[in-house]
Amino acid sequence: QAAADPRSSSDAPEDGPKETSSVSQNISDADAFKILLEMKMKKRQKKPTLPSTVTELDTEDGSKVYVVGTAHFSDSSKKDVVKTIQEVQPDVVVVELCQYRVSMLKMDEKTLLKEAKEINLEKLQQAIKQNGVMSGLMQMLLLKVSAHITEQLGMAPGGEFREAFKEASKVPFCKFHLGDRPIPVTFKRAIAALSFWQKVKLAWGLCFLSDPISKDDVEKCKQKDLLEQMMAEMIGEFPDLHRTIVSERDIYLTYMLKQAAKQIELPRASETEPRKYIPAVVVGVVGMGHVPGIEKNWNSDLNIQEIMSVPPPSASSKIFKFVIKATVFGLMGYGCYRIGQRTVQFILSMPAAQSYLQKLTEIRSRH
C-alpha cells in the first residue's frame, strides 16, 4: 500500500520503498494462497440463500455439492446458476458438457443461434466421420430437435453453462470441470440398444418433429428438462434407449460430481509440515431431468467402466447401415436418370433436333 500511495512514498524515508519491496518479495506462494483463501471464505455465505432449483448433497468427508437443475432454454436457469455460484463461492464447478460440446462455452449467443439453426450436409458428413454412420445420423437428428426448439424460442441452448463458466472465473481458485459422458459413446451405446425397426421409427419421429413451443412451456418444464422431456415422449416405448441416454448419464454425472467433491489440500510452508485438508464446495449445473437420478445414485458405489464401453455393431445395425447407403445411392441414381431423361426430352424438342431427325427418317425410308 505504501508503494502504491504517492503521499506515502513522498513522506517515507529514502530506504522506505526498498523495505516495502523486500517485504512483498518475501511473501511466499503459500502465504498468498492463504490470504486469497481467507478472502474467499469470508465472501462465502454460511447459510446461502439458494434458488428452489438447487439440491444440496453431502459427502462422507463433509464436502458439499449444490446441484442446480436447469432447463437448457431458460433465462431464469441462468440467473439460478449465477446466484448459486455467488452465494457458495465454490472450489469446483461441474457442468453437463463433454469435450465434444465445449465449443459452446466460447461462442457468443448470436453465433450459437446461427449455428444451431444451420444443419447442412457438411455438418452431417462431419458427424458421420467423427461418430460413424449410425451415431452420426442420430446426432444430426437430435441436433434437429435442438434446432427446432432454438427456432421456436429464438434462444441458443447452453446459456446456463456459459454463465457458469463466466462466474467460475470470478471465484478465486475455482476449477471448471466437464462432467458429461463423451457424446460419441452415448450415441453408439444408444444405437446398439435399438432394433432395426426401432431405429427406423425413432428416426421418423425425429424427422417430422414440428410441434410449436413457447417460453411458458419451457418454464413449465423446469421440473424436467425440455429437450429430454421431448425425447422421453418419443422414446417412451424404447426403455433401452432411455437407459443409455438418461439413466447411464445420471450415473456418470454423479461419479464426476463425487470426484470433484474430494477434500482440498491446503498449502504448506515446508515439505516437513503435515498435510492439511478441508472439505470442498462444488456446484453442479445439469438438466433438471438428471437431478432425481443423481440423488438416487449419490450414496452408491459407482463404476463407470461398463457404461463407457462401446458394444460391437449388431446385425440390425449392419442391415440399417446397408439400407441407408443403398437408399442414398439409389436416390442419387434416380436423380441422375431423371435429369438425363429431361435433358434428352429438352434436346429432342428443339427445332434443329426435330429437323435433323426428320431428314434422318427420310434417308432411312429411301433405303
Side-chain angles (χ1 to χ4, degrees):
Q1 287 176 347
D5 191 340
R7 291 172 298 176
S8 299
S9 299
S10 60
D11 296 337
E14 187 174 349
D15 59 344
K18 294 181 181 179
E19 185 180 348
T20 304
S21 177
S22 63
V23 170
S24 299
Q25 290 176 355
N26 288 334
I27 296 178
S28 65
D29 290 341
D31 290 335
F33 184 96
K34 286 179 181 177
I35 292 169
L36 288 172
L37 188 61
E38 285 176 7
M39 292 171 61
K40 176 178 176 177
M41 292 303 181
K42 286 180 181 179
K43 195 174 180 182
R44 180 179 286 173
Q45 300 294 323
K46 291 183 178 179
K47 292 183 179 180
T49 304
L50 300 173
S52 60
T53 53
V54 175
T55 300
E56 185 177 338
L57 301 168
D58 299 306
T59 66
E60 295 178 355
D61 53 22
S63 295
K64 287 192 174 293
V65 178
Y66 300 92
V67 183
V68 188
T70 67
H72 293 319
F73 295 84
S74 170
D75 285 328
S76 63
S77 285
K78 297 179 191 178
K79 295 175 184 176
D80 290 351
V81 169
V82 171
K83 182 173 179 58
T84 303
I85 293 176
Q86 289 177 348
E87 287 282 318
V88 306
Q89 293 289 295
D91 303 300
V92 186
V93 172
V94 181
V95 296
E96 186 198 331
L97 287 177
C98 68
Q99 64 266 34
Y100 293 91
R101 293 179 290 158
V102 73
S103 60
M104 72 163 53
L105 296 175
K106 301 175 184 178
M107 293 184 186
D108 59 83
E109 192 81 8
K110 289 183 179 179
T111 305
L112 277 166
L113 197 59
K114 183 180 178 182
E115 285 284 321
K117 290 181 178 179
E118 293 179 356
I119 298 179
N120 50 38
L121 184 60
E122 184 180 349
K123 286 186 178 180
L124 176 59
Q125 290 174 337
Q126 186 179 358
I128 290 175
K129 185 178 180 181
Q130 187 179 72
N131 305 316
V133 175
M134 291 304 306
S135 298
L137 289 171
M138 174 68 78
Q139 182 178 349
M140 292 308 296
L141 288 172
L142 289 176
L143 279 175
K144 183 181 182 297
V145 176
S146 179
H148 170 64
I149 302 173
T150 299
E151 187 175 2
Q152 292 281 318
L153 301 181
M155 182 189 300
E160 73 274 33
F161 302 139
R162 288 187 290 282
E163 291 298 327
F165 184 66
K166 291 175 188 175
E167 287 302 316
S169 66
K170 300 175 186 177
V171 179
F173 310 113
C174 182
K175 298 178 181 178
F176 190 85
H177 288 183
L178 304 176
D180 202 2
R181 182 172 64 177
I183 200 165
V185 176
T186 298
F187 283 142
K188 287 175 182 178
R189 286 184 63 84
I191 290 297
L194 296 176
S195 68
F196 171 76
W197 292 113
Q198 285 176 330
K199 291 169 188 172
V200 172
K201 193 170 184 179
L202 177 65
W204 183 267
L206 290 170
C207 283
F208 293 94
L209 178 71
S210 59
D211 293 337
I213 303 163
S214 68
K215 289 188 177 183
D216 289 338
D217 293 331
V218 178
E219 296 308 320
K220 289 176 184 177
C221 292
K222 288 197 71 175
Q223 296 306 312
K224 193 171 186 181
D225 179 68
L226 176 64
L227 184 58
E228 287 173 6
Q229 178 168 339
M230 294 177 70
M231 284 300 301
E233 289 174 359
M234 287 184 288
I235 65 177
E237 57 189 288
F238 310 137
D240 290 334
L241 189 60
H242 184 274
R243 172 176 53 80
T244 55
I245 291 180
V246 180
S247 301
E248 289 183 358
R249 288 173 58 224
D250 290 345
I251 295 172
Y252 191 92
L253 288 165
T254 306
Y255 178 85
M256 295 302 289
L257 286 169
K258 293 178 82 170
Q259 290 295 308
K262 290 183 177 180
Q263 288 190 326
I264 300 170
E265 181 181 354
L266 294 176
R268 295 180 293 166
S270 65
E271 291 295 328
T272 57
E273 186 179 340
R275 296 177 184 272
K276 294 181 181 178
Y277 297 87
I278 60 171
V281 173
V282 177
V283 169
V285 183
V286 304
M288 182 61 76
H290 290 292
V291 175
I294 291 172
E295 287 187 277
K296 177 184 174 183
N297 293 301
W298 188 249
N299 295 317
S300 304
D301 292 328
L302 303 175
N303 183 1
I304 62 170
Q305 295 301 319
E306 183 181 348
I307 62 172
M308 288 299 291
S309 62
V310 179
S314 62
S316 64
S317 294
K318 293 178 180 178
I319 293 171
F320 192 70
K321 184 177 179 180
F322 172 78
V323 169
I324 290 293
K325 285 185 175 180
T327 302
V328 170
F329 284 116
L331 289 173
M332 288 175 63
Y334 179 72
C336 292
Y337 165 74
R338 291 292 295 174
I339 291 172
Q341 188 181 42
R342 289 181 180 180
T343 302
V344 171
Q345 289 176 350
F346 175 73
I347 293 172
L348 292 177
S349 65
M350 294 175 67
Q354 290 181 354
S355 175
Y356 176 79
L357 287 173
Q358 187 177 2
K359 289 180 181 179
L360 185 61
T361 304
E362 291 175 356
I363 292 171
R364 291 185 63 184
S365 62
R366 291 173 186 172
H367 293 282

